[in-house]
C-alpha cells in the first residue's frame, strides 16, 4: 500500500504554505520527495496519508495515572474526557501553555506500562487541528500523525538536523536530567553548539547522524566522524513506529482507531521484512491446503465414477439387450416395466392396484365411504376420483390409511388423485 508522507510546518496553514512531502510504495523506498503548496500535493488516491509533526512542535512528559483509569480511557470513548481532564491536571505545572490549549497523545505502550507511568506527547492543539482540517479540505485526510522523533526510538543515537543557518541537535534522555522536563524518557532539542554537543555526548557510544549539509559542522562539534542521514530516511523509520498522535478529539471513534490499527498491522504483515517468514509460512499453508483439496476432489470424482460404472454394469449384465447406456436408472426402470408387461404382472401404477387402494380407503374410513364420486378417470398411471367434497379431509390421514399399498394420494380441488408411490 502506497503512503503519502506530509511534513507539517511550524506555522499555521495558509494558501501559500509550502509542504515537504514524499511518496513511498512499500515503506522502504522513496519514489518522490519534493515540496508543494497544500492544494498541489500529490493526489492521495488509494494511498494512506501520514502527517509528520516536527520535533520542535512536541514536548515529552512522564505522568503517573490513577489506577484503573488507563484501560478504561483507551477502551471506551465515554471515558476519554475524564482521561484528558486527568492529564491536564497532572501536566499543568510542566507545560508553558494552558493545558486546555494543548493536544495530548499517549505512548503506544501505555496500556502495557506498569504502575500507571505513561509517556505523553503534547503540542499546540489549534495548530495541529488547523493542519488536519486543511488536509481534509484538500481531500487528503491524515490516517496517522507521527512524531518526527520519539524519545526511546532515538535513545542510542544523536541527530543533527535543520538548515545550515540554524542547526539543531536532537537526542533522547532517560532518567532525571536537566534537559528532561520529567523523570523518565525525554527528548531534547538544542542549537548545535560545543556545549550542546558535549551534553548530548555525555553517554559514550552514541552514534551521531547528520544531514549532508551539516556533516562537516557536526564532525567539528563532536570531534569524530558522523554518519549521513536524511529527513526522508527518518520519515521511513518513523513510519515503522507504532506511534499515532491522532488521539482524543482527533480520533473520531474507537472503531476508527481499531480499523486504523488493523490496517496498519495488515500493511506490516504484507510488506514488513520481519514478517517475511510468516508470509512464507502462510503461502506454504495455502499451497498445502489447495493441494489437499485437489487430491480430495480427485478421489471423490474417482469414487463417483466407479459407482456410475458399477450401475452401468448392473444394467448391461441384467438386461443384455441394452447396448448403449445413457441414463442407467431410467433405462433400468423402463426395462423392468417392459418385462412386467410382457409377463402380464400388475405394476404399482396399474388401474387395478389404484382402484383397490381406493376401495380399501372407502371401506376402512366411513367418512370417505359416505362421499359419492361423480366419476373416475385413469390415465398416465393415475386414478382421478372426481366430485368429492374434500374441504375438511386431512391428506396426511388419507395417506396413512393407504400406506399398506404402494400408493400415494393428493388432492386437486374436488378430486382425489391416487398414483404409484414410486412415481416422481
Amino acid at each position: 500500500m502506497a503512503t503519502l508522507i506530509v511534513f507539517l510546518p511550524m506555522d499555521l496553514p495558509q494558501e501559500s504554505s509550502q509542504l515537504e512531502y514524499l511518496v513511498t510504495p512499500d515503506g522502504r523506498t522513496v519514489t518522490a520527495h519534493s515540496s508543494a503548496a497544500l492544494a498541489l500535493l500529490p493526489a492521495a488516491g488509494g494511498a494512506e496519508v501520514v502527517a509528520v509533526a516536527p520535533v520542535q512542535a512536541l514536548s515529552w512528559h512522564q505522568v503517573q495515572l490513577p489506577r484503573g483509569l488507563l484501560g478504561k480511557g483507551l477502551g471506551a470513548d465515554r471515558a476519554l474526557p475524564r482521561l484528558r481532564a486527568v492529564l491536564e491536571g497532572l501536566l499543568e505545572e510542566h507545560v508553558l501553555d494552558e493545558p486546555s490549549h494543548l493536544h495530548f497523545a499517549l505512548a503506544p505502550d501505555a496500556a502495557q506500562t506498569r504502575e500507571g507511568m505513561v509517556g505523553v506527547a503534547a503540542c499546540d492543539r489549534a495548530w495541529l487541528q488547523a493542519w488536519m482540517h486543511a488536509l481534509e479540505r484538500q481531500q487528503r485526510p491524515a490516517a496517522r500523525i507521527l512524531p518526527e522523533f520519539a524519545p526511546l526510538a532515538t535513545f542510542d543515537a544523536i541527530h543533527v538536523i535543520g538548515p545550515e543557518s540554524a542547526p539543531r541537535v536532537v537526542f533522547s534522555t532517560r532518567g532525571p536530567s536537566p534537559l528532561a522536563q520529567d523523570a523518565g524518557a525525554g527528548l531534547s532539542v538544542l542549537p548545535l553548539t560545543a556545549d550542546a554537543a558535549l551534553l548530548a555526548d555525555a553517554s559514550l557510544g552514541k552514534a551521531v547522524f547528520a544531514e549532508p549539509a551539516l556533516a562537516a559542522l557536526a564532525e567539528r562539534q563532536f570531534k569524530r566522524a558522523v554518519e549521513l542521514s536524511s529527513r526522508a530516511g527518518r520519515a521511513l523509520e518513523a513510519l515503522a513506529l507504532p506511534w499515532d498522535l491522532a488521539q482524543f478529539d482527533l480520533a473520531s471513534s474507537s472503531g476508527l482507531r481499531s480499523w486504523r490499527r488493523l490496517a496498519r498491522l495488515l500493511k506490516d504483515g504484507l510488506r514488513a521484512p520481519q514478517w517475511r517468514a510468516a508470509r512464507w509460512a502462510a503461502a506454504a499453508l495455502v499451497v498445502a491446503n489447495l493441494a489437499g483439496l485437489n487430491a480430495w476432489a480427485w478421489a471423490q470424482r474417482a469414487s463417483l465414477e466407479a459407482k456410475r460404472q458399477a450401475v452401468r454394469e448392473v444394467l448391461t449384465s441384467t438386461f443384455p439387450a441394452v447396448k448403449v447406456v445413457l441414463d442407467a436408472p431410467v433405462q433400468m426402470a423402463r426395462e423392468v416395466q417392459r418385462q412386467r408387461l410382457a409377463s402380464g404382472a400388475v405394476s404399482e401404477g396399474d388401474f387395478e392396484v389404484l382402484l383397490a387402494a381406493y376401495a380399501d380407503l372407502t371401506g376402512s374410513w366411513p367418512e370417505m365411504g359416505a362421499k359419492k364420486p361423480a366419476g373416475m378417470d385413469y390415465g398416465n398411471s393415475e386414478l382421478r376420483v372426481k366430485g368429492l367434497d374434500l374441504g375438511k379431509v386431512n391428506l396426511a390421514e388419507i395417506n396413512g390409511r393407504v400406506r399398506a399399498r404402494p400408493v400415494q394420494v393428493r388432492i386437486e380441488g374436488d378430486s382425489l388423485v391416487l398414483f404409484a408411490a414410486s412415481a416422481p
Side-chain angles (χ1 to χ4, degrees):
M1 179 180 180
T3 304
L4 171 63
I5 301 177
V6 180
F7 297 92
L8 302 180
M10 285 295 296
D11 54 356
L12 291 172
Q14 298 178 2
E15 292 290 337
S16 58
S17 296
Q18 292 287 314
L19 285 82
E20 185 180 357
Y21 71 88
L22 64 86
V23 178
T24 172
D26 53 9
R28 298 189 299 273
T29 58
V30 176
T31 56
H33 184 193
S34 184
S35 61
L38 183 60
L40 299 178
L41 288 172
E48 179 186 43
V49 179
V50 175
V52 177
V55 62
Q56 60 268 36
L58 299 171
S59 62
W60 303 86
H61 312 272
Q62 289 279 325
V63 296
Q64 174 83 44
L65 291 179
R67 187 182 301 274
L69 176 65
L70 190 58
K72 295 179 180 178
L74 292 177
D77 286 344
R78 62 178 179 275
L80 291 178
R82 183 188 174 199
L83 176 57
R84 178 175 172 85
V86 171
L87 289 175
E88 290 182 2
L90 293 174
L91 293 173
E92 186 174 6
E93 298 180 359
H94 298 275
V95 294
L96 299 179
D97 205 347
E98 287 291 330
S100 59
H101 297 166
L102 299 177
H103 173 75
F104 300 120
L106 301 180
D109 60 349
Q112 290 77 37
T113 305
R114 295 182 178 179
E115 300 179 356
M117 289 296 296
V118 299
V120 181
C123 68
D124 184 85
R125 191 177 186 181
W127 166 80
L128 189 57
Q129 286 182 337
W131 276 111
M132 293 302 99
H133 294 158
L135 290 172
E136 288 179 2
R137 286 195 299 270
Q138 299 299 327
Q139 306 301 317
R140 297 168 180 86
R144 294 175 65 194
I145 308 174
L146 300 179
E148 185 178 8
F149 291 93
L152 294 183
T154 58
F155 183 72
D156 294 326
I158 299 169
H159 293 266
V160 179
I161 65 171
E164 295 183 63
S165 58
R168 295 183 298 277
V169 57
V170 180
F171 59 97
S172 292
T173 58
R174 181 181 287 171
S177 166
L179 296 177
Q181 294 174 309
D182 306 276
L187 195 67
S188 296
V189 184
L190 297 174
L192 179 59
T193 62
D195 291 337
L198 183 63
L199 188 59
D201 207 20
S203 299
L204 298 178
K206 288 188 175 182
V208 179
F209 294 87
E211 295 178 357
L214 303 174
L217 178 61
E219 288 181 347
R220 290 197 300 270
Q221 296 291 1
F222 285 92
K223 297 180 174 58
R224 66 176 189 269
V226 301
E227 299 181 40
L228 296 181
S229 68
S230 65
R231 197 175 192 188
R234 295 196 304 271
L236 295 183
E237 293 177 0
L239 192 63
L241 297 177
W243 267 99
D244 188 0
L245 302 180
Q247 300 179 25
F248 295 98
D249 53 339
L250 289 183
S252 58
S253 68
S254 60
L256 179 58
R257 291 193 297 273
S258 299
W259 173 252
R260 287 173 177 169
R261 284 195 294 270
L262 178 60
R264 193 156 59 248
L265 289 174
L266 181 60
K267 178 183 176 183
D268 291 342
L270 291 175
R271 298 188 180 274
Q274 60 267 30
W275 287 94
R276 184 176 291 110
R279 292 195 294 268
W280 278 107
L285 183 61
V286 170
V287 170
N289 275 278
L290 287 176
L293 286 174
N294 284 330
W296 177 81
W298 178 83
Q300 292 297 314
R301 285 195 298 268
S303 176
L304 182 59
E305 184 59 30
K307 292 178 180 178
R308 288 174 176 167
Q309 183 60 32
V311 172
R312 287 194 290 266
E313 290 178 355
V314 169
L315 173 61
T316 55
S317 62
T318 306
F319 304 102
V322 178
K323 302 300 182 182
V324 179
V325 180
L326 300 176
D327 189 334
V330 173
Q331 288 176 277
M332 190 174 295
R334 188 180 299 127
E335 292 298 321
V336 171
Q337 180 69 8
R338 184 180 293 114
Q339 289 192 359
R340 181 183 292 119
L341 293 175
S343 63
V346 179
S347 65
E348 297 177 358
D350 285 351
F351 175 76
E352 294 85 351
V353 175
L354 300 178
L355 185 61
Y358 178 68
D360 291 346
L361 181 63
T362 56
S364 61
W365 192 7
E367 182 179 349
M368 183 58 68
K371 300 180 183 296
K372 302 302 181 181
M376 293 185 181
D377 283 339
Y378 174 78
N380 197 22
S381 299
E382 289 185 351
L383 176 62
R384 185 179 300 271
V385 183
K386 302 178 180 179
L388 300 176
D389 182 12
L390 302 173
K392 298 181 180 179
V393 173
N394 190 314
L395 181 60
E397 186 175 357
I398 297 176
N399 278 303
R401 291 181 178 273
V402 298
R403 189 175 300 166
R405 294 183 178 273
V407 174
Q408 285 188 341
V409 179
R410 69 173 182 266
I411 296 176
E412 296 181 359
D414 63 347
S415 299
L416 195 67
V417 181
L418 295 88
F419 56 95
S422 59

